[in-house]
Amino acid sequence: KRGLPRGGHGNKESDESDGAGGWCTTLLTILVAVFASISGIFLYTTIPRQLGLFDWIASRYPSRTGMTPAFVPLGSNGTSYTSQLYEKLLEDHDLTGQRVIVTGASAGIGLAMATILATEPLLNHPEVVMACRNRTKCKLRADEIRQINPKAKVVPMVLDTSSFRSIQQFAKDFHRQFHNSNNTAAALDVLFLNAGTTFKTNKTHPCIPLSEPDGIEIVFQTNYLGHHLLYRLLEPAL
């Protein structure tokens, strides 16, 4: 007995541990496969729509409507189910005679937002002030929107949220251009604070630069402080 290796019992315990680990791996694989199958059913088939799941989400949680899959087919016309929910939402938001400001409206989400607001018939074409940093680019994008809808009411204006001076000048120009005939404050119905920037540091530029002439970290000023100041200056019109 004294000649038996001390590790004899340890090998048996190791075999038991390996067996338990194998069962865990198998169970995890099965769970992942089941989850993937359920996800596939919800994302790539019409079953959730037929069960009324998306209708239930839209009625109970309107703010989460956009989270439903936009690529679920709705029939031979190829219209997605979410697009119909989108139209239902637009019907409840009549912007007739309203004025909207979109910052950062010359590209990306801001341009898409300005385009939809100015061309979507269900919104009844509100007046859209396109607030952009580059005057030439802003006018060009406004012309492109007018080509989509010749009756679109788009007004390109210069605004650089990384500059307090530019923000103050924009606010003055807005109040001056859109003041009412009885000299009361200009009316503003919707304000989309969309403009933003990013900066990736590297060996050449290890720090995020400061804005000029304000001397504030440019990303923080562009994305946050600038918009806060803009809101405060436009608040009387809202």
Side-chain angles (χ1 to χ4, degrees):
K1 293 182 179 178
R2 293 181 180 177
L4 292 175
R6 295 171 62 95
H9 296 291
N11 291 335
K12 183 177 180 181
E13 293 176 356
S14 177
D15 292 340
E16 292 176 353
S17 298
D18 292 342
W23 275 107
C24 289
T25 303
T26 302
L27 179 60
L28 180 61
T29 302
I30 294 174
L31 291 176
V32 171
V34 171
F35 177 77
S37 300
I38 295 175
S39 299
I41 291 173
F42 274 84
L43 296 178
Y44 295 102
T45 72
T46 59
I47 293 178
R49 175 172 58 80
Q50 293 170 354
L51 294 176
L53 176 63
F54 297 153
D55 275 331
W56 180 81
I57 293 176
S59 62
R60 190 172 181 84
Y61 306 103
S63 62
R64 299 183 183 179
T65 301
M67 298 172 63
T68 57
F71 42 86
V72 176
L74 190 62
S76 58
N77 60 0
T79 304
S80 69
Y81 182 73
T82 303
S83 66
Q84 289 206 353
L85 292 179
Y86 170 74
E87 292 180 359
K88 290 180 182 178
L89 290 174
L90 290 182
E91 291 175 354
D92 297 331
H93 293 78
D94 186 355
L95 301 182
T96 302
Q98 297 194 17
R99 182 175 293 120
V100 182
I101 291 179
V102 181
T103 66
S106 62
I109 295 176
L111 176 58
M113 192 180 303
T115 303
I116 291 175
L117 287 168
T119 61
E120 174 56 62
L122 293 176
L123 294 176
N124 289 323
H125 313 306
E127 184 175 31
V128 182
V129 177
M130 301 176 63
C132 318
R133 183 171 52 184
N134 186 297
R135 185 187 303 273
T136 302
K137 190 176 181 180
C138 195
K139 289 183 177 180
L140 179 62
R141 296 294 178 263
D143 290 339
E144 292 174 352
I145 293 176
R146 294 189 187 98
Q147 289 178 2
I148 300 174
N149 176 21
K151 296 182 179 181
K153 293 176 283 187
V154 288
V155 182
M157 295 183 66
V158 176
L159 170 66
D160 182 358
T161 56
S162 70
S163 167
F164 290 153
R165 181 179 301 174
S166 175
I167 296 168
Q168 292 168 342
Q169 186 61 50
F170 173 86
K172 290 180 181 179
D173 292 341
F174 176 82
H175 288 298
R176 184 185 306 114
Q177 183 170 345
F178 296 103
H179 72 277
N180 296 317
S181 57
N182 56 358
N183 291 325
T184 56
L188 177 61
D189 301 284
V190 184
L191 176 59
F192 285 108
L193 302 176
N194 165 77
T197 188
T198 59
F199 187 89
K200 187 176 181 180
T201 58
N202 50 43
K203 292 182 179 180
T204 306
H205 301 91
C207 300
I208 298 177
L210 303 181
S211 63
E212 296 181 1
D214 303 309
I216 301 173
E217 194 255 44
I218 194 167
V219 175
F220 183 54
Q221 179 165 352
T222 302
N223 298 359
Y224 300 98
L225 295 183
H227 276 144
H228 176 71
L229 175 60
L230 177 64
Y231 170 77
R232 293 299 298 271
L233 294 174
L234 295 177
E235 189 175 9
L238 284 167

